[in-house]
Amino acid sequence: MRIPHSPLAMSTIALCTFVADASAQSSVTVFGVMDLALRQTHVSGTSSSTTLASGGLAGSRFGVRGAEDLGGGLAASFWLEADVAADTGATVASAFWSRRSTVSLSSADWGELRLGRDYVPIFARQYSFLSPFGPNGVASNGNLFFGPPSLLGSGSGGGVRTDNMLKYVLPPDLGGLYGEVMASMAEGRNENRHRGGVIGYAAGPLMVNAGFGRTDDVAGRDAIRLTTLGAAYDAGWAKFMALAQRGSYGARRQTTVEVGAAVPLAGGSLKASLRRADQSGAGTEANDARQLSLGYVYALSKRSTLYGSFSRIDNQGAQAFGLGGTVPPAGRGVRGLELGINHLF
């Protein structure tokens, strides 16, 4: 048989050989979320602001992930995920793969070792799952749990994700026990140095967990310390959730508590939550806040969802918790309403 020697033919043969070899050993998936909402926010005593906002139910994103079976229960994998501002098409961070950039080696018996940029454990295991609304939109639990006022002036960058991290995740089949621990190196940015972990138990309708996180401040002289305790119970007719967090930085303290529920209703889910943040120390005793949130989500299909959310924050003293990108003057209340559509691919 005559073998063609033209550059095009040789390139085609090489590409086909690579694709066949890759498909035999590994899998690669392109995935993402597009989420847009019409949002209105209003600060007490001032005018309203109306915007088209990205990420009301879940953050808009584009990602590529893949895994290779190495045999014997061992696998190697990668995950690249970028933030997308769905209203403009722009990236929303200085680093393109800002949401996640990791490579992993995992074993069914020994767990997973993960390196790169990723969520800190208390965000991944608690903020995202132990709240009816999670960390997105006007009703985000992040408004009181890990927004800038919650970091107590530390300037910490480790409330959600950190770079240069090393994470260990327990194997999945431990009779309901789960958890992960993480450490990240500063590498010239003190506020990126993080130590944290979560340990929990989930079986049947019940889930409980506890976590901690420690992140250096900008100067590298002190750290903000967070301890958390959460639980969820699925009664069938409703799912109930609760999360409590204690934060400390220098002389300042903040205790944040949330209780919430999600009730199946008319083919969708009715959601409600109440959060309260109490600060103390260094003259901040009066700087408290309360957030009430209501919402409804309706699934058009497995991939497309309509949603609506309303939330109100009442600030006390000199507190200035905001929502939906709107930060009020000290002591002022703020409310937000959004109606949106979420599509997975």
Side-chain angles (χ1 to χ4, degrees):
M1 181 180 70
R2 180 176 178 273
I3 299 176
H5 293 286
S6 72
L8 178 59
M10 294 302 292
S11 297
T12 302
I13 292 172
L15 179 60
C16 292
T17 301
F18 171 78
V19 171
D21 182 65
S23 62
Q25 299 181 36
S26 62
S27 63
V28 176
T29 302
V30 175
F31 67 96
V33 177
M34 290 296 283
D35 186 308
L36 278 169
L38 184 63
R39 176 181 295 171
Q40 185 179 75
T41 58
H42 178 78
V43 176
S44 299
T46 67
S47 61
S48 299
S49 173
T50 302
T51 58
L52 187 64
S54 179
L57 185 65
S60 297
R61 70 198 73 174
F62 174 82
V64 183
R65 60 177 180 253
E68 180 184 15
D69 187 350
L70 302 175
L74 192 66
S77 61
F78 76 93
W79 190 305
L80 293 168
E81 188 173 324
D83 265 312
V84 177
D87 52 329
T88 64
T91 57
V92 292
S94 56
F96 185 78
W97 301 110
S98 59
R99 293 185 63 90
R100 180 170 168 179
S101 173
T102 62
V103 63
S104 300
L105 190 63
S106 58
S107 163
D109 296 324
W110 299 101
E112 177 186 355
L113 183 63
R114 188 183 303 172
L115 299 88
R117 173 175 171 81
D118 198 8
Y119 290 115
V120 301
I122 57 176
F123 185 95
R125 300 284 188 166
Q126 295 184 309
Y127 299 149
S128 296
F129 294 103
L130 295 175
S131 167
F133 296 93
N136 296 99
V138 296
S140 166
N141 59 1
N143 297 329
L144 267 60
F145 274 99
F146 60 91
S150 304
L151 300 177
L152 301 175
S154 66
S156 165
V160 180
R161 301 175 180 88
T162 61
D163 304 334
N164 315 311
M165 70 90 201
L166 178 66
K167 179 185 284 190
Y168 170 70
V169 183
L170 287 174
D173 190 15
L174 293 177
L177 182 70
Y178 67 91
E180 57 186 62
V181 292
M182 171 184 178
S184 60
M185 282 61 76
E187 296 194 21
R189 291 169 46 232
N190 293 311
E191 67 274 17
N192 187 72
R193 191 190 305 276
H194 178 84
R195 305 290 183 270
V198 167
I199 188 73
Y201 175 80
L206 178 66
M207 179 174 70
V208 293
N209 60 28
F212 76 96
R214 181 190 186 280
T215 312
D216 284 6
D217 62 11
V218 177
R221 291 191 295 265
D222 202 347
I224 181 168
R225 297 167 175 83
L226 303 174
T227 55
T228 55
L229 182 64
Y233 182 79
D234 192 343
W237 60 273
K239 183 175 182 179
F240 301 95
M241 290 151 276
L243 180 62
Q245 176 178 279
R246 175 72 168 174
S248 63
Y249 175 65
R252 299 182 64 180
R253 303 288 185 270
Q254 178 174 311
T255 299
T256 313
V257 177
E258 176 183 19
V259 291
V263 181
L265 179 66
S269 179
L270 180 65
K271 304 185 294 184
S273 73
L274 179 64
R275 307 180 187 105
R276 182 167 179 82
D278 294 296
Q279 292 192 355
S280 61
T284 65
E285 284 75 8
N287 299 346
D288 302 328
R290 181 178 61 189
Q291 181 178 11
L292 174 66
S293 302
L294 300 170
Y296 183 76
V297 296
Y298 180 79
L300 298 172
S301 69
K302 290 183 178 180
R303 297 192 299 158
S304 299
T305 302
L306 298 176
Y307 64 90
S309 301
F310 169 81
S311 191
R312 178 183 177 90
I313 294 178
D314 295 307
N315 290 301
Q316 301 173 8
Q319 192 54 268
F321 285 110
L323 54 75
T326 298
V327 179
R332 293 278 189 90
V334 59
R335 65 178 183 267
L337 174 69
E338 61 192 2
L339 302 172
I341 181 170
N342 175 284
H343 179 73
L344 311 177
F345 63 89

